[in-house]
Amino acid sequence: MGTTAQRTPVPVPAGGTDPAPVLSVRNLKASIGGQQVVEDVTFSVPATGITALLGRNGVGKTSSIKAILGLIQRDAGTVDLEGQPIQALPTHRIVQRGVGYVPEDREVFAGLSVAENLRLSERDDHPRRELVEALFPDLVKRAQQAAGSLSGGQQQMVSLARALMNENRVLLVDEPTKGLAPKIVGEVADALEEAAKTVPILLVEQNLAVVRQLAGGAIVLSDGRVVHTTESATSFLDDDILVTRHLGVGTGPAHEGA
Amino acid sequence: MSASTEELEDQHGGRGGREGSSATDRLKASLTPPPTPGPSGPGRSPTRRRLIGGVAAVAGVVALALLPLLNVQLPGILPTATYQPGALQLMALCLLMGAAALTYHLLIGVAGLLSFGHALYVGAGAYVLGILLERTGMGLIPAMLLTLLVVVILANVTGAVALRVSGIPFAMVTLAFAQAGSVLVRRNPDGATGGEEGLSLNTEQVPAFLVGVSNTRNLYWLSLAVLIIVFAIVSWIQNSRAGHLAEAVRENENRVRVLGLKPYLAKLLIFVVGGTLAGCVGMVHLLLQSGAVPRTVSADFTITLLVMVVLGGVGSRWGAVVGGVLYTLLDQRLTVLAQSEAIQSMPALLRVPLSEPLFLLGTLFVLVVLFMPGGLAGFVRRLSARSGSGRPGKDPVTVLEQAE
Amino acid sequence: MDTILLLLVTGIGLGAVYFLVASGLSLIYGLMGVLNFAHGAFLTLGALIGWETARVMGADSWGGFALSLLVGCLVGALLAALTEFVLIRPLYERHIEQVLVTVGLNLAAIALFEGIWGTDPVFIQGPTWMGMTTNILGAQVPNHLFITILIAGLVLAGMVLFLKRTRYGMIIRAGVENRSMVTALGIDVRRAFTLVFTIGGAAAGIGGVLASHYFGYVSPLLGGSLLIFAFIVTVIGGLGSLAGAAVASVLVGVLQQFANYFWSIGDFVVVILLAVVLLTRPSGLMGRKVATA
């Protein structure tokens, strides 16, 4: 990970305007195999709506999300879920506390059927099967099909459905439209918009049109640090200078470093 | 750089699953020994330290070389005084096993290659030399050179094939090659290997000063020379371009590929050098033990080498040597202890486990893995870090490694 | 013709024994990334205690044989569960150390067995019928092979049912594919670890009892040689694939028998097969996700 020449001062959104953020991340540092990928990240996710997590490829967006979930080594910092510290918990406990996760590249279990993928995700006593079936009628038809045989868009539906099956405090959604056909992108965005009515979402997204459609606030990362926070993703995206500086021109096909 | 042990622990301390990487990657990642600060920043360490380390190393070698001339008694550790054949034989074996462990360190510690077939090359050295001496009437030196050639070719061919894959598949291919060698030796084709009985050394062509109990101290010096030469070559390879490349490959193969370098060739070089040196150890082992036994080709022997290296601390040269010496010493002494009056008169519940050296060694090994990450080298490193003497880049490991 | 048939059945019988060892190895590796060197110890202890049981009950009685299978299975399962719980779990996510403790455990366990039972093989017997042969198309097939093949088949069926029909089976299948995603669904995958170890140990224990009937003896060294071939089978079949382990077991067993009979090079053929499979299909016959060089 190189360092860029300029680095804007980090605005610390301590508290922000929202008095009680659902998720607050403070001075988070994380590494993969000894290599630091999240340098020092501080931000909070408001308790309503969709907050976009933006930045060029490889700046640590996916890694930040994985660090919040404990999927990669957390070296320092705190993560509070509704005021409760969760940074020391193992992944499954964090998820059980109500952090839903829709990973980059969908990560459906290819050898399991759609129905099995969904059943595996059920952890509440009353999984929200009706809601999921209403949102994704296509999956009901393909319940017995192996998830690996689905199209990318359908796999994304499975991945979203897994996260929506349970009552969550917050959803972490990582590049849900990556590599999807334009028509499907719209469907995924609509599903997210629908979901956001009941649960706050932290959304990593390279498709800026989708960000405009969905996001309220935005957090911008560069080189493993937060370089910009705004309560209006749209106004940020309208500012050509900021966009060029932090996102580059034409962000290109999404592919964050593994 | 100051945090080499911490980094090791950090790497392993991950909670709740790693990245969605493949199992092999995970294995490779956890195989990675603590980064030794040595070669990457030699300029930082003062030359005075190097000098002290160098003097200590030379003093150690001189002391070892003088042992056969001294009357040192170490009851409980050595069976006899150091100038007598009993102790010399055991000490020579210890030195040879230290050298064997060093050759294995080259694979696992430097290149991160988990081979389960390293015994093949030790065995090949011993058996090929033994057969040549038995069947051809060649002199010792030409026979050794020819054996060396055979081992180089063998290591090249098997290595070239095995390195087509990595991780667990690599471990399995090497295991399979060694297994083939082991089957061949046990099968005793044309009566060449002596089957289960093993092959005894034909001493006709061996110079008189290397034959017989009275000359054990010459064999001891020969073993010491082998250890020093192996150490020198391993150090040299490790600090060579190929060594750095192999280490870089171990850390991040893709990055090396991006740089346009060829990790395959570096790994093959390390594999062949490791195998060849193991063959040399095997040849001297044949002379020292006056024969070769099928065990030297077995998977068990490779596992023994693995145990030695892990006991000493993966990634540390002197750790490998100490691990090899310690293991051999323990194995021998525990066997003697098992026959002792004290143990034999114990109730069965204690006597049975205590009279099985491998039970005790296996248990010790498990305990080291569980409670002493980084083996002896890691322990020393932590100790020096705690006592405050371990200023950045100056822990004894570094000093020793840079010095020797 | 009758020779061919006999070789085929003995090969499948040997394959059945391999499968009982390799299935657990494969599942454990697939889910946890651990190459379990202690698997041979599970098998050996199952065989040794199974034989002690049979001897007490009367080695030639069916009851004794059945009980020895049951005891072997339980002993294997118990030792495996204990291994996972005491040695593997504290080293969570540290794969190389996990492999190393199984290496150490295997060394220690086999040495202990040698201390208790001695190094010499003890020749055993089973119910009289198992010692006899049945004439199939002119081939005199030893009856114990039928039992071995039948039981291995039942174990395979049981494992498939378990993996397909139960929630834990589902977790295991999902975990073999992508363990971290299973935890990211809020599932404590470590419970599944203990489970696969237990299942693998149970199968290995049964395999130990059957192997002792196949080879006609028990010895503390029984597991060692079987383990190497089971490793090879596991890799040929594809690490983590139960179906692959089943296919490769039979393939290797049959090939070994034929090559041994006609050219007495069975072990070499297996090694060559492994090299060929790995070089042409590095992830094994039915493996999915093994990284290659």
Side-chain angles (χ1 to χ4, degrees):
Chain A
M1 231 171 220
T3 45
T4 48
Q6 52 178 189
R7 179 167 288 156
T8 35
V10 182
V12 180
T17 48
D18 198 337
V22 59
L23 193 71
S24 36
V25 177
R26 244 167 264 278
N27 304 109
L28 187 65
K29 293 182 171 61
S31 54
I32 300 173
Q35 256 191 39
Q36 192 150 20
V37 286
V38 178
E39 300 275 349
D40 185 358
V41 163
T42 300
F43 65 79
S44 51
V45 180
T48 52
I50 296 180
T51 306
L53 186 58
L54 305 174
R56 287 198 184 90
N57 295 325
V59 296
K61 304 187 296 289
T62 296
S63 298
S64 296
I65 286 196
K66 287 189 167 173
I68 292 170
L69 282 161
L71 284 169
I72 59 173
Q73 171 73 34
R74 297 157 291 193
D75 300 324
T78 59
V79 181
D80 287 0
L81 178 68
E82 294 182 333
Q84 299 290 316
I86 56 167
Q87 71 275 0
L89 298 176
T91 303
H92 68 271
R93 290 247 179 273
I94 294 175
V95 174
Q96 283 167 7
R97 294 250 180 133
V99 181
Y101 177 44
V102 180
E104 191 186 15
D105 298 322
R106 307 177 264 283
E107 301 200 25
V108 296
F109 300 109
L112 273 61
S113 71
V114 170
E116 285 176 324
N117 265 278
L118 297 185
R119 227 182 306 145
L120 206 56
S121 69
E122 295 174 3
R123 53 169 209 271
D124 295 351
D125 290 337
H126 305 287
R128 307 191 293 182
R129 291 193 191 122
E130 294 78 16
L131 177 122
V132 166
E133 284 167 11
L135 265 176
F136 309 109
D138 212 22
L139 298 185
V140 181
K141 278 184 278 173
R142 298 177 185 276
Q144 296 313 314
Q145 209 171 321
S149 68
L150 299 179
S151 73
Q154 290 160 341
Q155 290 190 8
Q156 190 61 61
M157 301 299 176
V158 173
S159 191
L160 274 170
R162 285 193 309 204
L164 294 175
M165 191 61 92
N166 307 288
E167 198 108 16
N168 280 313
R169 305 271 155 257
V170 63
L171 289 189
L172 309 179
V173 181
D174 196 352
E175 300 215 21
T177 65
K178 179 173 158 186
L180 299 185
K183 177 173 162 284
I184 315 289
V185 169
E187 283 179 35
V188 168
D190 291 345
L192 282 171
E193 197 164 22
E194 192 61 33
K197 288 175 185 162
T198 56
V199 60
I201 296 177
L202 179 65
L203 173 72
V204 174
E205 182 55 72
Q206 300 272 7
N207 185 328
L208 298 183
V210 173
V211 175
R212 276 176 195 279
Q213 182 194 336
L214 297 176
I219 299 152
V220 186
L221 292 188
S222 182
D223 281 323
R225 290 166 196 273
V226 174
V227 289
H228 190 86
T229 17
T230 171
E231 276 161 47
S232 167
T234 315
S235 68
F236 168 78
L237 293 177
D238 287 338
D239 188 331
D240 283 344
I241 298 172
L242 281 179
V243 168
T244 310
R245 185 194 296 165
H246 295 311
L247 303 185
V249 197
T251 34
H255 204 287
E256 265 205 284
Chain B
M1 270 300 156
S2 61
S4 51
T5 51
E6 284 158 42
E7 268 185 57
L8 177 73
E9 274 144 25
D10 283 350
Q11 270 187 9
H12 299 319
R15 289 273 128 114
R18 245 166 226 286
E19 288 278 72
S21 57
S22 78
T24 325
D25 287 342
R26 277 185 264 127
L27 176 94
K28 258 204 268 181
S30 54
L31 241 174
T32 310
T36 39
S40 54
R44 207 150 42 93
S45 179
T47 40
R48 207 169 63 92
R49 286 250 158 198
R50 279 187 161 207
L51 206 67
I52 295 171
V55 169
V58 170
V61 168
V62 169
L64 281 174
L66 288 177
L67 271 183
L69 306 174
L70 303 173
N71 181 1
V72 182
Q73 307 263 5
L74 292 169
I77 298 174
L78 294 174
T80 63
T82 49
Y83 68 93
Q84 287 169 319
L88 284 172
Q89 173 83 17
L90 175 55
M91 289 191 301
L93 189 63
C94 286
L95 295 177
L96 273 189
M97 288 301 115
L102 252 181
T103 68
Y104 193 63
H105 151 83
L106 202 51
L107 299 188
I108 191 167
V110 177
L113 295 170
L114 182 60
S115 163
F116 278 110
H118 201 57
L120 180 63
Y121 311 104
V122 182
Y127 272 101
V128 173
L129 181 61
I131 291 168
L132 285 177
L133 290 175
E134 176 75 38
R135 299 267 162 135
T136 62
M138 285 170 104
L140 180 65
I141 299 296
M144 281 180 115
L145 290 176
L146 186 56
T147 306
L148 201 62
L149 185 69
V150 171
V151 175
V152 170
I153 292 170
L154 179 69
N156 255 304
V157 172
T158 50
V161 175
L163 283 167
R164 297 276 301 277
V165 289
S166 62
I168 291 296
F170 172 81
M172 289 298 116
V173 180
T174 51
L175 175 71
F177 282 140
Q179 187 63 18
S182 176
V183 169
L184 189 69
V185 163
R186 284 172 206 273
R187 185 108 3 123
N188 194 12
D190 198 21
T193 63
E196 296 290 340
E197 300 292 309
L199 177 71
S200 58
L201 175 68
N202 181 349
T203 51
E204 269 171 43
Q205 301 298 328
V206 181
F209 71 94
L210 289 177
V211 179
V213 175
S214 54
N215 286 318
T216 309
R217 66 179 185 181
N218 294 333
L219 287 164
Y220 168 84
W221 280 320
L222 181 63
S223 306
L224 181 61
V226 167
L227 175 60
I228 292 168
I229 291 168
V230 168
F231 199 104
I233 295 178
V234 167
S235 308
W236 177 59
I237 288 284
Q238 209 170 337
N239 290 320
S240 72
R241 218 176 118 69
H244 290 314
L245 188 53
E247 273 181 70
V249 170
R250 188 190 68 202
E251 302 295 334
N252 189 340
E253 177 146 1
N254 285 333
R255 189 168 283 188
V256 173
R257 278 174 200 274
V258 170
L259 292 174
L261 301 166
K262 293 200 177 66
Y264 178 83
L265 286 179
K267 286 197 277 188
L268 183 61
L269 178 73
I270 300 252
F271 188 91
V272 171
V273 172
T276 308
L277 291 177
C280 297
V281 173
M283 287 192 261
V284 179
H285 192 259
L286 173 84
L287 298 176
L288 180 68
Q289 303 289 68
S290 305
V293 286
R295 204 191 109 76
T296 40
V297 207
S298 67
D300 283 353
F301 185 60
T302 303
I303 286 179
T304 307
L305 293 176
L306 177 67
V307 171
M308 291 171 179
V309 170
V310 172
L311 278 182
V314 177
S316 163
R317 262 170 297 186
W318 71 264
V321 176
V322 173
V325 170
L326 198 67
Y327 181 97
T328 312
L329 214 52
L330 279 174
D331 189 25
Q332 296 277 330
R333 297 319 294 169
L334 289 174
T335 311
V336 174
L337 192 71
Q339 318 296 328
S340 72
E341 196 66 27
I343 298 265
Q344 288 304 320
S345 60
M346 282 180 177
L349 199 63
L350 284 174
R351 189 190 71 234
V352 169
L354 287 182
S355 41
E356 291 294 334
L358 277 179
F359 172 76
L360 298 172
L361 281 168
T363 310
L364 172 72
F365 179 67
V366 168
L367 292 176
V368 166
V369 173
L370 281 177
F371 302 113
M372 222 168 91
L376 286 171
F379 181 70
V380 171
R381 211 176 286 136
R382 268 194 303 280
L383 212 62
S384 70
R386 201 169 299 160
S387 70
S389 68
R391 276 165 287 168
K394 290 181 184 175
D395 57 317
V397 182
T398 321
V399 174
L400 262 173
E401 293 211 332
Q402 286 177 347
E404 290 182 51
Chain C
M1 181 61 209
D2 50 343
T3 313
I4 303 277
L5 191 70
L6 182 63
L7 286 172
L8 196 66
V9 181
T10 42
I12 296 173
L14 185 59
V17 173
Y18 286 159
F19 170 76
L20 289 168
V21 189
S23 53
L25 281 176
S26 193
L27 281 180
I28 290 170
Y29 182 84
L31 185 66
M32 306 170 63
V34 175
L35 201 61
N36 179 26
F37 275 83
H39 221 69
F42 304 164
L43 175 152
T44 308
L45 192 65
L48 289 165
I49 297 196
W51 168 239
E52 295 291 341
T53 311
R55 219 169 40 173
V56 170
M57 293 288 295
D60 52 359
S61 73
W62 282 104
F65 175 68
L67 199 67
S68 75
L69 274 176
L70 185 67
V71 168
C73 171
L74 289 177
V75 164
L78 197 69
L79 182 60
L82 216 63
T83 302
E84 199 282 328
F85 210 75
V86 178
L87 296 180
I88 306 288
R89 181 157 296 198
L91 296 169
Y92 186 52
E93 285 295 320
R94 290 156 63 177
H95 299 278
I96 191 67
E97 277 97 334
Q98 290 178 330
V99 175
L100 293 176
V101 288
T102 66
V103 168
L105 173 65
N106 197 52
L107 278 181
I110 300 302
L112 190 62
F113 301 159
E114 285 182 358
I116 299 170
W117 281 280
T119 43
D120 294 331
V122 175
F123 296 96
I124 68 158
Q125 50 176 328
T128 322
W129 181 82
M130 280 175 65
M132 299 193 298
T133 58
T134 301
N135 189 324
I136 299 179
L137 303 173
Q140 297 293 328
V141 180
N143 289 336
H144 66 82
L145 290 177
F146 300 122
I147 303 269
T148 301
I149 294 168
L150 175 74
I151 291 174
L154 288 175
V155 170
L156 171 62
M159 282 184 174
V160 169
L161 275 179
F162 173 79
L163 287 175
K164 289 269 182 214
R165 294 289 163 83
T166 65
R167 180 167 172 84
Y168 268 106
M170 205 158 75
I171 292 174
I172 291 170
R173 278 188 294 143
V176 168
E177 265 191 47
N178 184 343
R179 195 170 29 148
S180 66
M181 194 58 220
V182 174
T183 65
L185 290 180
I187 296 163
D188 185 0
V189 79
R190 282 173 302 179
R191 279 193 220 148
F193 291 175
T194 317
L195 201 64
V196 285
F197 250 85
T198 311
I199 293 171
I206 296 173
V209 174
L210 293 174
S212 59
H213 285 277
Y214 185 93
F215 296 112
Y217 67 88
V218 287
S219 135
L221 302 174
L222 187 66
S225 50
L226 268 175
L227 185 68
I228 289 184
F229 285 109
F231 274 152
I232 293 175
V233 161
T234 311
V235 176
I236 289 179
L239 289 156
S241 163
L242 190 66
V247 171
S249 295
V250 173
L251 186 68
V252 168
V254 170
L255 199 67
Q256 212 173 0
Q257 288 299 319
F258 275 88
N260 258 339
Y261 182 82
F262 289 110
W263 311 284
S264 60
I265 51 163
D267 298 352
F268 289 107
V269 167
V270 174
V271 169
I272 293 165
L273 179 69
L274 174 74
V276 169
V277 167
L278 277 179
L279 294 177
T280 52
R281 284 185 65 106
S283 55
L285 295 179
M286 299 178 128
R288 243 192 310 251
K289 319 192 315 179
V290 180
T292 65

